Amino acid sequence: MITLYGSAISNYYNKVKLALLEKGVEFREELTIPSQDAAILTKSPLGKIPFIETERGCLSESQAILEYLEDACPEKPLYPADPYARAKCRELIQHLELNVELIARRLYLEAFFGGKVSEETKAEVRPKVEAGLKGLMRLAQFSPYVCSENFGAADCAAWPHLTLIGLATSRIYGEDLVAAQVPALADYLAVVTARPAAQKVAADRAQALEAFFGNRRP
């Protein structure tokens, strides 16, 4: 059985968890935080989450995990069979993670963790996130899923990332930049959230967030 290590407050963890649930892969979860502990570093080279443990060893980086699951458990595919469509799916995921989420992550300290982000950083991040979202709209289809009429790997990434980025930008700028740049967002989120696997991930995420922030209250 696969063991998924990490925390349900992580959008990358939820990306992998959603894929496991959608593919019907049996797995168990092990709550783990990012760590430089030697035991964790033997499983994830930088101590990051998520990572998985398989009968052959451990694997880190959410995208590598998604593609491993696709190859190892092909019965319920999350990628298109056509090579070009498959590449377009990967292109969208990479664009979203490198050109939108990675940039928006600079806001998370203040948006979620009680820290402070400089006004200069906020001013720098906003146009870059907006540009990245405009680029996403050039790649996405929302018909009704982000890459096609079928739920797939791109949705495993897009749903948790767009939800978190929207919340972060709402808290920092007083405006959900995702909703502003992605007109189909509300319909898309409704379609994905109607899926039982997404409902499970959302419920577990809400419980984990309550536990995390509850423990931080004085």
Side-chain angles (χ1 to χ4, degrees), residues 5-73:
Y5 292 84
S7 168
I9 68 172
S10 162
N11 44 328
Y12 286 91
Y13 179 91
N14 289 327
K15 168 187 171 181
V16 173
K17 182 174 177 177
L18 184 54
L20 285 162
L21 290 168
E22 287 285 349
K23 290 179 79 65
V25 176
E26 188 176 2
F27 71 101
R28 70 181 190 91
E29 298 178 76
E30 187 74 33
L31 178 61
T32 306
I33 62 173
S35 173
Q36 294 301 295
D37 183 83
I40 298 297
L41 292 173
T42 62
K43 298 179 178 182
S44 176
L46 292 179
K48 298 193 301 180
I49 59 167
F51 59 91
I52 64 170
E53 188 167 9
T54 75
E55 61 182 12
R56 297 189 62 184
C58 293
L59 186 65
S60 63
E61 300 297 340
S62 66
Q63 192 55 32
I65 296 170
L66 237 63
E67 298 194 16
Y68 164 76
L69 294 174
E70 187 72 359
D71 292 338
C73 311

Side-chain angles (χ1 to χ4, degrees), residues 45-173:
L46 292 179
K48 298 193 301 180
I49 59 167
F51 59 91
I52 64 170
E53 188 167 9
T54 75
E55 61 182 12
R56 297 189 62 184
C58 293
L59 186 65
S60 63
E61 300 297 340
S62 66
Q63 192 55 32
I65 296 170
L66 237 63
E67 298 194 16
Y68 164 76
L69 294 174
E70 187 72 359
D71 292 338
C73 311
E75 296 81 8
K76 294 184 179 179
L78 292 177
Y79 284 90
D82 175 75
Y84 181 76
R86 198 177 185 95
K88 293 298 290 184
C89 178
R90 291 191 179 108
E91 178 188 28
L92 188 146
I93 295 171
Q94 186 167 5
H95 170 80
L96 176 59
E97 294 186 344
L98 294 182
N99 300 323
V100 188
E101 199 282 334
L102 185 62
I103 297 167
R105 198 182 307 175
R106 298 173 66 189
L107 305 173
Y108 294 175
L109 177 64
E110 181 171 332
F112 304 120
F113 301 112
K116 187 66 179 175
V117 174
S118 71
E119 294 303 316
E120 291 79 6
T121 295
K122 294 175 187 178
E124 181 183 346
V125 165
R126 179 167 185 153
K128 291 182 178 179
V129 168
E130 289 174 332
L133 290 167
K134 289 175 182 176
L136 176 68
M137 287 303 299
R138 299 182 189 107
L139 294 171
Q141 296 183 26
F142 296 113
S143 60
Y145 296 105
V146 71
C147 269
S148 71
E149 62 184 17
N150 300 312
F151 182 92
D155 300 291
C156 292
W159 178 66
H161 290 330
L162 293 177
T163 302
L164 192 67
I165 296 164
L167 181 57
T169 56
S170 293
R171 291 182 173 181
I172 296 299
Y173 303 114

